[in-house]
Amino acid sequence: MSREKKVKRSKATNDVTNAASTPVPNLAYDYFQMEEEEAKLRDSQDDENIFRKTCSEIQRNMKKILDMKLQRRPLADIEELRVETSLLFMTLKKINRLDKHRLKVAKDAVNEKKQKVDNFHLQLQNLTYEMMHLQKEVTKCMEFRSRDEEIDLVPVEEFRREAPAEVLKRDVTDADPHQLTLARLQWELVQRKQLSQKLRGLESMRSSYEREIEKKRECLSNIQPTLQAVLEAAQPLQADLGLPLQAHQAEHASAQYLARPLYVLYVQAAAYQQAYGDCFDVGMEGSVEESKALLETTEENQEEDSGESDQEESSTGKRHRRLTRSGAGSSSVAKCLQKHPLSVVLTLQHKGYKLQVTFTYIIPLHIVTVTANVTEPHGISSGVSASPVMCPSTILDNMFGDDNGLCSPNPANHFQLKKNGLVDFSQVVAEVGKAYRWAQRLSGLEFLQGCSSATVVASHEVGRAFVEELVQTVTTRFAARVVLYEQLLSLEKGVVPVPAQLSDHFPSKVTS
């Protein structure tokens, strides 16, 4: 029998002997509780020292076993070290279990403390919320305003002076401010009842007045057609008697549709005519309906660009594009020179000669242009040298300094015309008329250098200050031109007019 078999047999024999001699453990005993109580009794520092010592012994035994295996020592010696090392592992497990028990106890204690802290924190939050609620209630109570504070009560001095004795109660109110406030409120109630009764009386009176006014208004509305019929029937009589009471009524009603500068001109000219008599006539020309439509719609200021097309088009397409551009250019010029549908006409007469001055407003350029027309009493003039004197295009030139109307007084017009392909305003004078500076002043417009047209608004003050001077100047100019024209006509015919006071100095007949 080999040595290994002998060792195994002896080991088995020893195990049986030990099993027979070892007492059977009591399985009903609670070893977990026993170890838990043992963990409480033992010192953790001692267990730590035992743990370190046991670990070092295990390391030494493992090293010895390795050396014995390398030296091929007997298995019995190795087995003995293995058993001893296993027992050391059992010691480590026990120490580990004891440590787990201690850890569990520590965790339970920490959880208990945490639960207490959470309870305290919750109580603190509840108390904080309750404190905030109480503070809000206190603030609300402090800010509470009673209804009596919103009432504008009479001052205390006035209350003591005007309130009756049964309301005043001086013996009570002098000592108690609360009773004083109650008395003031009672006096306020008495006064308001009196005022309410007075208000009802006034409202009933107002209702009666309103009914009376309504009756009179209805009566007037019934009289209106009758008055209109009487006025229409009286128009022939007014014409025969030379009383044009309603001659300009319709025209004045239509004046509201004039452009702002022309309206200023019309109002000031009509006022001057009414104040100084019929020194000239003022009227309007044009379509009122078109002016109404112009006021209701907004003008589009964006120019149409109709010249965009591909560069790869044929020559026909290119020629068509050039025609389109030309049409667009003419359309843009027409928009730039758009006239207001209504214009104002001033008419002056002298010795049968009639001068008609037409004022037109150019909307995009924001200026007023003038066109003159002269009518002779005997028709078309046959004079040669006298005709330029009454030429309509020059009869109003240079009345106030060097002002021939060929340049626009609005500085912005230069750029507007240049944008539409026009070099100067003189190119469009024949189409729109002359833009005299005095015409702008008469219309309430004052243009300064560097001032755009958008900032200039027609003013009645400007036109009112200039209308009298202009009327006198135009009247004097026209009368002088008429006299000069007649003299030139007489000279062309060989007739020299002699004043009556100088007729004695000239022979009545000359013969040769």
Side-chain angles (χ1 to χ4, degrees), residues 198-213:
K198 185 177 180 180
L199 176 63
R200 286 194 294 269
L202 293 176
E203 286 181 348
S204 62
M205 187 182 300
R206 186 188 66 179
S207 300
S208 62
Y209 287 156
E210 287 179 351
R211 289 192 295 269
E212 185 177 355
I213 291 172

Side-chain angles (χ1 to χ4, degrees), residues 3 64-79 81:
R3 182 176 178 81
K64 287 180 181 180
I65 291 172
L66 179 61
D67 293 339
M68 292 174 69
K69 284 185 177 182
L70 294 176
Q71 295 175 5
R72 298 185 180 278
R73 298 283 294 276
L75 293 177
D77 298 338
I78 296 174
E79 189 67 22
L81 286 175

Side-chain angles (χ1 to χ4, degrees), residues 259-356:
R260 172 70 181 179
L262 296 182
Y263 180 77
V264 172
L265 189 152
Y266 180 84
V267 170
Q268 300 304 327
Y272 185 84
Q273 179 192 19
Q274 184 178 2
Y276 289 91
D278 296 333
C279 54
F280 61 89
D281 294 330
V282 57
M284 293 191 308
E285 289 183 353
S287 174
V288 178
E289 298 299 329
E290 292 182 7
S291 181
K292 291 180 181 179
L294 183 63
L295 289 176
E296 294 175 357
T297 58
T298 56
E299 183 181 1
E300 297 181 358
N301 295 325
Q302 297 181 353
E303 299 180 358
E304 298 179 358
D305 186 10
S306 58
E308 294 181 358
S309 59
D310 297 335
Q311 296 181 357
E312 298 179 357
E313 290 182 350
S314 60
S315 59
T316 305
K318 292 181 180 179
R319 183 168 58 254
H320 176 70
R321 183 169 66 250
R322 286 196 297 270
L323 293 175
T324 304
R325 286 178 178 174
S326 177
S330 61
S331 176
S332 63
V333 172
K335 288 183 178 180
C336 183
L337 302 178
Q338 181 184 3
K339 299 179 181 179
H340 194 273
L342 292 177
S343 57
V344 178
V345 180
L346 299 182
T347 305
L348 289 83
Q349 294 187 8
H350 184 74
K351 294 183 179 181
Y353 293 86
K354 183 183 295 184
L355 174 62
Q356 188 177 24

Side-chain angles (χ1 to χ4, degrees), residues 244-258 263 266-267 269-271 273-274 282-284 288 342:
L245 301 179
Q246 294 180 336
H248 301 288
Q249 183 177 3
E251 189 175 84
H252 289 175
S254 302
Q256 59 179 327
Y257 300 106
L258 286 168
Y263 180 77
Y266 180 84
V267 170
Q273 179 192 19
Q274 184 178 2
V282 57
M284 293 191 308
V288 178
L342 292 177

